[in-house]
């Protein structure tokens, strides 16, 4: 349905039933589910693509699988409160987390949320949600991560206060802290952390116990960690001993 909708922009019940070889009742239930996910808008006799339709098939498939990243994203999204200002750096896990936050139904009528990000792809999606205020930082864009870095990004961040920073990392150990591959990205994440009241690290378990090139912050600078159950239990215990609240999903 989403593949067709992404190209035709509208789809009727009868057309969808014939296309898929299912009953119209099945189509109506699926339309209702897609509308609930804010991926389509209902109209008389069918659905129409919303303003996020340019990426519907990818968005839908990436949200369906029960992989570690989607579990981390879903759990981290639930730690965000309505009305909060949330900072997000770039990366696959933070992108999934942003999608999980902005698709929460309770935020639509519950005061919304403000997203502050240096990731162009996160901003491009978040800005399309009417209940989300999106602040996109300026700077020099890195093609592989869609992140902007440099003095312009830091200048804007230093004028803002965040309630929570949700940061993705390439490595995390109790001894060496959170790290990433590029110093310019690390500098922006550090600034985001400095401007936040709370820091939530999101990463899959295989990155625990790993150290990469650039230091972001010490492990005790992280308030909460959301990671997968395959994380090294000794590393999890060491992080907890430092006062980090660890959520295993």
């Amino acid at each position: 349905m989403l593949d067709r909708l992404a190209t035709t922009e509208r789809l009727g019940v009868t057309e969808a039933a014939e296309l898929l070889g299912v009953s119209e009742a099945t189509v109506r239930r699926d339309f209702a589910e897609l509308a609930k996910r804010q991926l389509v808008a209902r109209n008389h006799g069918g659905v129409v693509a919303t303003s996020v339709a340019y990426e519907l098939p990818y968005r839908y498939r990436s949200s369906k699988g029960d992989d570690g990243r989607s579990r981390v994203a879903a759990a981290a999204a639930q730690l965000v409160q309505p009305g909060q200002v949330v900072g997000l750096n770039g990366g696959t896990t933070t992108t999934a987390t942003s999608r999980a936050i902005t698709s929460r139904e309770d935020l639509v009528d519950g005061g919304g949320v403000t997203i502050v990000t240096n990731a162009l792809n996160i901003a491009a999606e978040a800005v399309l949600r009417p209940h989300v205020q999106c602040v996109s930082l300026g700077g020099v864009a890195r093609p592989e991560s869609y992140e902007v870095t440099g003095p312009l990004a830091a200048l804007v961040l230093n004028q803002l206060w965040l309630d929570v920073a949700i940061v993705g990392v390439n490595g995390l150990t109790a001894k060496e802290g959170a790290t990433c591959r590029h110093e310019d990205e690390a500098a922006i994440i550090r600034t985001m952390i400095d401007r936040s009241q709370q820091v939530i690290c999101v990463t899959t378990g295989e990155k625990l116990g790993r150290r990469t090139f650039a230091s972001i912050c010490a492990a005790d600078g992280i308030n909460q960690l959301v990671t997968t159950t395959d994380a090294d239990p000794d590393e999890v215990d060491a992080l907890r001993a430092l006062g980090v609240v660890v959520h295993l999903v």
Side-chain angles (χ1 to χ4, degrees):
M1 286 183 184
L2 291 171
D3 283 332
R4 175 62 65 90
L5 192 61
T7 55
T8 64
E9 297 187 355
R10 61 181 62 247
L11 189 61
V13 172
T14 301
E15 178 188 359
E18 293 175 352
L19 176 69
L20 300 173
V22 298
S23 70
E24 292 190 1
T26 296
V27 170
R28 290 190 180 92
R29 286 193 295 270
D30 289 345
F31 280 175
E33 178 64 23
L34 292 175
K36 181 180 177 181
R37 291 172 178 266
Q38 303 179 44
L39 294 172
V40 301
R42 298 294 297 270
N43 72 350
H44 181 69
V47 291
V48 295
T50 64
S51 53
V52 295
Y54 69 94
E55 208 181 15
L56 277 177
Y58 173 76
R59 286 167 55 85
Y60 182 72
R61 293 182 190 124
S62 65
S63 69
K64 289 295 286 183
D66 188 28
D67 59 281
R69 185 176 295 115
S70 64
R71 296 199 306 274
V72 168
Q78 292 305 311
L79 300 176
V80 173
Q81 302 301 313
Q84 284 192 320
V85 179
V86 181
L88 289 154
N89 68 309
T92 53
T93 306
T94 49
T95 297
T97 302
S98 177
R99 290 169 180 160
I101 294 170
T102 59
S103 63
R104 275 177 48 183
E105 293 180 52
D106 61 312
L107 294 180
V108 176
D109 299 317
V113 69
T114 297
I115 298 291
V116 178
T117 185
N118 68 321
L120 299 175
N121 63 316
I122 291 176
E125 293 185 21
V127 73
L128 299 172
R129 300 287 192 179
H131 60 287
V132 176
Q133 176 176 263
C134 180
V135 178
S136 179
L137 305 180
V140 179
R142 183 181 294 280
E144 61 269 28
S145 65
Y146 301 106
E147 288 180 284
V148 297
T149 60
L152 287 177
L155 179 65
V156 175
L157 263 180
N158 279 313
Q159 304 301 312
L160 305 174
W161 290 111
L162 312 178
D163 293 307
V164 57
I166 300 179
V167 299
V169 300
N170 296 122
L172 175 63
T173 73
K175 180 180 179 180
E176 295 151 325
T179 55
C180 66
R181 296 190 182 96
H182 303 283
E183 167 52 32
D184 53 353
E185 293 178 6
I188 292 300
I189 301 171
R190 283 196 298 270
T191 304
M192 193 174 288
I193 288 172
D194 289 343
R195 306 300 292 181
S196 301
Q197 293 182 347
Q198 181 184 182
V199 179
I200 300 172
C201 181
V202 291
T203 187
T204 47
E206 76 273 7
K207 294 181 181 177
L208 264 67
R210 178 190 299 177
R211 182 197 67 192
T212 53
F213 173 67
S215 175
I216 296 172
C217 69
D220 60 6
I222 297 169
N223 302 109
Q224 300 189 67
L225 167 66
V226 184
T227 190
T228 48
T229 53
D230 60 345
D232 182 342
D234 292 335
E235 199 66 58
V236 169
D237 289 343
L239 289 166
R240 283 174 168 158
L242 292 174
V244 181
V245 177
V246 180
H247 306 270
L248 298 174
V249 296

